[in-house]
Every structure is written in C-alpha cells, then in structure tokens.
Amino acid sequence: MEAADRKRLLQEMVFARRFEERTAEAYHHRDIGGFLHLYPGQEACAFGVLEQARMGHDYVITGYRDHVHALKCGADPKEVMAELYGKETGSSRGRGGSMHIFDVKNHFMGGYALVGEPYPLAAGLAKGIKMKGTDQIAICFLGDGANNQGTFHETLNMAQLWELPVLFVCENNLYAIGTSLERSTPAHDQYLRAQSYKMEADQVDGQDIDTVMEAAEKAVDFVRSGKGPYFLELMTYRLRGHSMSDSGRGYRSEDEIKQWMERDPIYLFRDRLVEEGVLTADEFEQMDKDAQQHVDDEVIPFAENSPEPDVGDLHKYVLSDDDSCAMGQIAGGGK
C-alpha cells in the first residue's frame, strides 16, 4: 500500500474513533436514546477487511455494533449521526436507531439487533450474487457471541454445501456482553468450528491492521475466485463496555484492560507510520484535531438541526405501501 493510502487509512480510523466517542457524549446528554454499542478498540477489524474489498460493489452486513462498518462502506457520517438522534434525515429516517443503520446505495445491508441474525441474510445475499453470476461477494461481520446461535451452524453448513461467495468475519472480542468466551463456549478458537464444516478458515491478530489486511486479502481473493466461503477470525478487544449501560469493568480485570489498551489498533498503526517515516507526531495530532472538528462542526450540528419524523408517518416504512396483502387488504375489495 502506498504511503498516502496508509495515512488516509489511519485518518479514517481516527475519525471513526472520534465519531464513536462523540456519540457517547451525546448519549449521556440524552440527545441519543435507546441502545448504543460502540466500537473503540476494534477499528482494525472493519477497516482492515473492508480496505481489501470493493466498497459499493460487494455487500456488507453486520450486527448491532454497526456505525463504523457503515462509515467505511461510504455512509454519510451526518446521516449516521442523524439516525442515532432519531431524525428524519437519518440513514433509516430515524426509525431504526443505532442498531439499524442501513445504506443500500453503498451496499451496506444493515446492522441487526438480533444476535446471529445476519448469518442467514449474508447467505441469502451470496446466493443472489451466485445466481446473478457477478464477481461480487458478501461480507458478514459478527462477534464471537453469535457463534452459539443455531443460525451460525445452519448458515455455515449451507454456505459450504452450496459454495456461496461469502466471507464470514468473526470479531472475537472475548466476551458475549459480560460473559467470557471461556464460560460460554467449549471451543475457544472459533475458526476451528468453521473448519468442522470443511470451510477454509484462519485466525489472526485483529489489533494490527497490516496483519488484518494481509489475511483479508487472502480471504477476499479466495471467495471472489469462486472457491466458496471463508471464515476469518480476528482476535480483538472492545475498550468500552458492551453498551452504554455497561462499564465493562465488572467482569474484566484492570490489568486485562490495561494490556489491551497498550495494543490500541490506532496507536499501533500510528507508531508504525511514524517509524516508517510516513507520518510525524505533529501530523497525527493535527489529524486527530481535524477529525474532532469535523464531528463537532459538521456532523453533530446536522443531526441536532434536522427535523423529527412526522407523527403522521408513524406507520410508513413498516410494511410496503403498495402491497395490498401487507396492508391487510384482500384482492376484490375485502379486508
């Protein structure tokens, strides 16, 4: 990767971090309601994998920790923030909130609240791609906690049997909400579970973006070449709690958190770029300030000043407006 692209990639990660931290402030100020699951600490996963995919061409789907995946896919940060604020200008017109970011024009097929729900949806996307005969792939991001759902096993079995063009990315942050992997799952290495379905699979460090990109390039090439699905496990860590109602302290030791903070993916990448002579410490400081200013001066004001959804539209976007069956009407005038 060229030096300019490496610097651009770090800039994107820094912006995502500032975006997420600002949403936490807005939540505490009660500008954002409902649920909020933040991504700091896991940035190398989304950015490393999607950097190797074709944004706007391939399809991406994920769970409820979805803001940063949407941003990397090309979603407008202002629309994502407006969605969190529940505004009409949001990416889902303010009806979905944090766990339901959606941006069809950039092929970001959504975040989903139900654990494990995206697995079969990703297989469906991949089946559609295969039927169309294009070179697109579907990429499904989920956490390790989703792998104990029945959808995981059913989907991996079917995806491998049908040789579907889908890349499964397991962001293994070691905890399913507050339950450690050791307490919930006999098989700790998730990629081995995928291999039991005869699926190509690998496990790498999810904090080092260069390692992630190298593994993702191999995985994406494998899937795009028509060899079938691939399962990539990225070992990572969320620096915050599971959601805003969780401090993340009650079930993790301070020593453990400190050890992972020393492997913050943004600072690991920053230090490498400084060492390579691509970036100076002053340039990074300015990059960080610019990201914060972008969020404060453009993203937040857009969300704050956008209109609320019209109460008269309460039933819109729930069911199809032009489908008589969906509207409870029977052909011929009945109800």
Side-chain angles (χ1 to χ4, degrees), residues 66-321:
D66 58 350
H67 315 159
V68 173
H69 301 80
L71 294 177
K72 180 57 179 171
C73 284
D76 186 333
K78 298 193 296 296
E79 294 182 4
V80 176
M81 188 64 81
E83 184 60 36
L84 303 182
Y85 272 64
K87 298 298 183 70
E88 182 68 30
T89 55
S91 57
S92 299
R93 295 183 178 271
R95 274 74 164 176
S98 171
M99 296 194 284
H100 301 100
I101 307 297
F102 204 88
D103 186 357
V104 67
K105 68 179 180 298
N106 286 305
H107 288 191
F108 179 69
M109 305 311 286
Y112 291 82
L114 296 183
V115 176
E117 184 182 10
Y119 275 127
L121 297 177
L125 290 168
K127 179 65 175 174
I129 290 169
K130 190 162 186 171
M131 292 175 71
K132 289 191 298 181
T134 69
D135 68 346
Q136 295 163 298
I137 67 172
I139 304 174
C140 178
F141 289 88
L142 277 175
D144 49 288
N147 298 347
N148 287 338
Q149 296 293 95
T151 52
F152 168 82
H153 299 280
E154 295 172 52
T155 301
L156 264 63
N157 180 68
M158 190 172 289
Q160 182 62 36
L161 184 67
W162 290 352
E163 297 183 336
L164 298 180
V166 54
L167 169 58
F168 298 105
V169 180
C170 174
E171 299 187 50
N172 187 348
N173 63 20
L174 310 178
Y175 292 89
I177 307 182
T179 304
S180 70
L181 189 66
E182 287 77 11
R183 292 184 60 204
S184 66
T185 310
H188 299 165
D189 294 317
Q190 301 302 294
Y191 78 105
L192 295 179
R193 305 174 82 180
Q195 286 182 343
S196 72
Y197 291 99
K198 299 187 181 303
M199 188 176 294
E200 286 291 322
D202 197 4
Q203 179 192 64
V204 300
D205 178 8
Q207 301 303 92
D208 183 336
I209 194 165
D210 285 324
T211 300
V212 174
M213 285 195 292
E214 183 179 355
E217 182 179 24
K218 176 184 173 185
V220 167
D221 288 348
F222 182 92
V223 176
R224 202 182 302 284
S225 66
K227 295 177 181 175
Y230 196 105
F231 187 95
L232 180 60
E233 181 180 8
L234 304 176
M235 304 306 296
T236 186
Y237 199 77
R238 53 174 161 74
L239 298 178
R240 284 182 161 272
H242 170 74
S243 68
M244 295 304 291
S245 61
D246 168 27
S247 69
R249 252 61 184 181
Y251 50 88
R252 308 189 298 186
S253 71
E254 291 298 325
D255 284 345
E256 178 183 302
I257 295 171
K258 182 180 177 183
Q259 287 175 14
W260 281 96
M261 288 182 73
E262 290 172 354
R263 302 206 67 246
D264 185 315
I266 289 179
Y267 298 130
L268 285 179
F269 195 33
R270 175 201 63 185
D271 292 346
R272 184 168 300 150
L273 295 193
V274 170
E275 191 177 303
E276 292 172 356
V278 173
L279 186 78
T280 67
D282 289 342
E283 286 177 320
F284 177 78
E285 187 175 342
Q286 187 60 49
M287 180 187 292
D288 197 14
K289 288 180 180 176
D290 290 345
Q292 189 67 61
Q293 189 171 359
H294 183 183
V295 174
D296 289 340
D297 293 354
E298 297 182 38
V299 176
I300 292 293
F302 178 83
E304 288 179 338
N305 297 324
S306 290
E308 302 275 354
D310 189 328
V311 175
D313 291 340
L314 181 64
H315 297 291
K316 287 188 73 174
Y317 316 119
V318 178
L319 299 171
S320 174
D321 289 342

Side-chain angles (χ1 to χ4, degrees), residues 41-63:
Q42 299 185 206
E43 290 90 348
C45 299
F47 283 98
V49 171
L50 296 180
E51 186 70 19
Q52 300 296 356
R54 300 177 190 170
M55 295 297 85
H57 182 70
D58 298 327
Y59 289 92
V60 178
I61 191 169
T62 187

